[in-house]
Amino acid sequence: MKILLASSEVYPFSKTGGLADMVGALGRALVKAGHEAAIVTPLYRGIRERFPAIRPAAWHFDLPLGLERVQAELWELERPGEARIYFIEQPDYYDRAGIYLENHLSYADNAERFIFFSKCVVHLARYLPWRAEMVHVHDWQAGLVPALMLQEKRAGWGNPPPTCLTIHNLAYQGVFPAAAFALTNLPADFYAPDGVGTEYFGMLNCLKGGIVFADSITTVSPRYAREITTEELGCGLDGVLRENAGKLTGILNGVDYAEWNTTNNPHLFKPYSVTRMAGKKVNKRELQRRVALPVAEKIPLFGTISRLAEQKGVDIQLGALEEMLNSNIQFVQLGSGSPEYERAYRDLAARFPGKVAVQFGYDENLSHQIEAGCDFFLMPSRFEPCGLNQLYSLRYGTIPIVRATGGLDDSVTDFVQNAGAANGIKFFEYTTRALAKGIRKALAIYQQPGLFRKFRRNGMKADFSWNKTVNEYLKTYQGTLK
Ligand code: ADP
């Protein structure tokens, strides 16, 4: 099968979160399963310097965007065993310091930037001699592709391939003032107030357009697929999702174990595995040293890596830590995002010197070291479509403490669910108290070395590899083709 993927971020070229990891890994998994996959993504600043093998693809875009025409060039990269990557070079749009924002402010022209990107995707789907049989788009940035393809069909594209939309996070929908609709150059009926269109409460909603016009929809865990059809977690689109529930499925993300492993990983201080755990102690010691916490083997070390956004449960985490840091524990945090949250973490570190280490910014290397060096990993998300860090934690023998929501609930097994297979701690209520109780449970497990080892072993043996995930995507593609 020939699958064209489209995403505004792809690891290792660009990344702000799980979307990049997922699309990079899906491309590779499709190729490994014997299919042909190509990924389209913008050429952001610095990518060409980091990947000098990227070549011009001798393809020029000259596409309408509202009343203007916008030009772009295509670049490509082939790597053995990987999906081919097509990069859209449009310096005015993509050669910037950030991907979506700068100094905590979204770019004012994000509608233009990603509507143009979506048009390039459609153009490639239609005119590349390599004829894609399936077009799989990700999140709002490519959400208008199915609508744009339908319009091309009306305008003479004989037999366009079917489309699949994956929602990685319903909270980000690409909502813009109605005037932005003109940039799509779609006829007015695509902006229909009766709900069958890209219009939503008088605004252009790129993700809603994808939900309405895609042939199939997936999201990144079975539980999140159910949750987004409810008012509580539907982010205003639950009604539209219920209407389209027949084409919606939840597929848990896989982990790229070639990147995220403890046996052959240049980021780690020492390799370790489920049968040779001594190396984990070295990683703990070196992590403590690196983030300037007292080196102490016996003190339980908790960690977090996340975007500092409301979704991630920062408020209850700050409250629970405030309470629990009076015990003999350490906490290390890596994150970036809201300046208020950064300030709150800095305050926490100042109040608990020698117990709390906070690092801000994006740091791939440190993220592996936190996963490897900690004893427990905190993910108290308000909602979590899939979540990758709890999956990485399991493989790294770092016991996850998670709120039972979305993919966190689907991937972590607690003692009450299955005592023999437990690999993490779950709590249900979104409160400081419930999280603090989860941390107390962790401390109780830590005091019982046999039990602690068992949780770790269960986690490290759990298999969230892409083999299973890719088969589910292929099933979805095949179902859509029919
Ligand atoms: P989301 O996509 O909502 O941010 P996920 O858990 O699905 O959350 O994926 C987050 C990904 O981004 C993980 O690979 C995580 O390690 C990474 N990440 C998040 N923040 C940072 C950071 N400050 N430095 C390095 N990696 C980070």
Side-chain angles (χ1 to χ4, degrees), residues 288-331:
Q288 286 169 324
R289 214 168 259 157
R290 174 168 176 185
V291 300
L293 286 170
V295 173
E297 191 190 321
K298 294 278 184 306
I299 299 179
L301 176 55
F302 293 75
T304 294
I305 303 158
S306 91
R307 289 182 294 114
L308 297 178
E310 205 195 336
Q311 173 202 338
K312 299 295 178 182
V314 183
D315 48 353
I316 63 169
Q317 177 150 318
L318 283 163
L321 284 170
E322 188 81 49
E323 186 181 328
M324 295 308 298
L325 279 161
N326 293 311
S327 326
N328 193 19
I329 64 171
Q330 294 179 341
F331 171 69

Side-chain angles (χ1 to χ4, degrees), residues 15-19 21 260 305-307 311-312 334-336 361-364 367 379 384 387-389 392:
K15 169 167 165 177
T16 70
L19 166 65
D21 285 356
W260 293 92
I305 303 158
S306 91
R307 289 182 294 114
Q311 173 202 338
K312 299 295 178 182
L334 168 65
S336 62
Y362 185 84
D363 190 335
E364 190 80 27
S367 75
M379 273 182 98
E384 193 60 74
L388 290 174
N389 280 113
Y392 303 154

Side-chain angles (χ1 to χ4, degrees), residues 190-201:
F190 279 88
Y191 193 74
D194 65 358
V196 190
T198 57
E199 188 269 355
Y200 197 67
F201 288 113

Side-chain angles (χ1 to χ4, degrees), residues 251 463-473:
I251 301 176
D463 180 11
F464 291 99
S465 62
W466 263 91
N467 306 341
K468 204 161 87 195
T469 306
V470 80
N471 283 333
E472 294 193 47
Y473 277 104

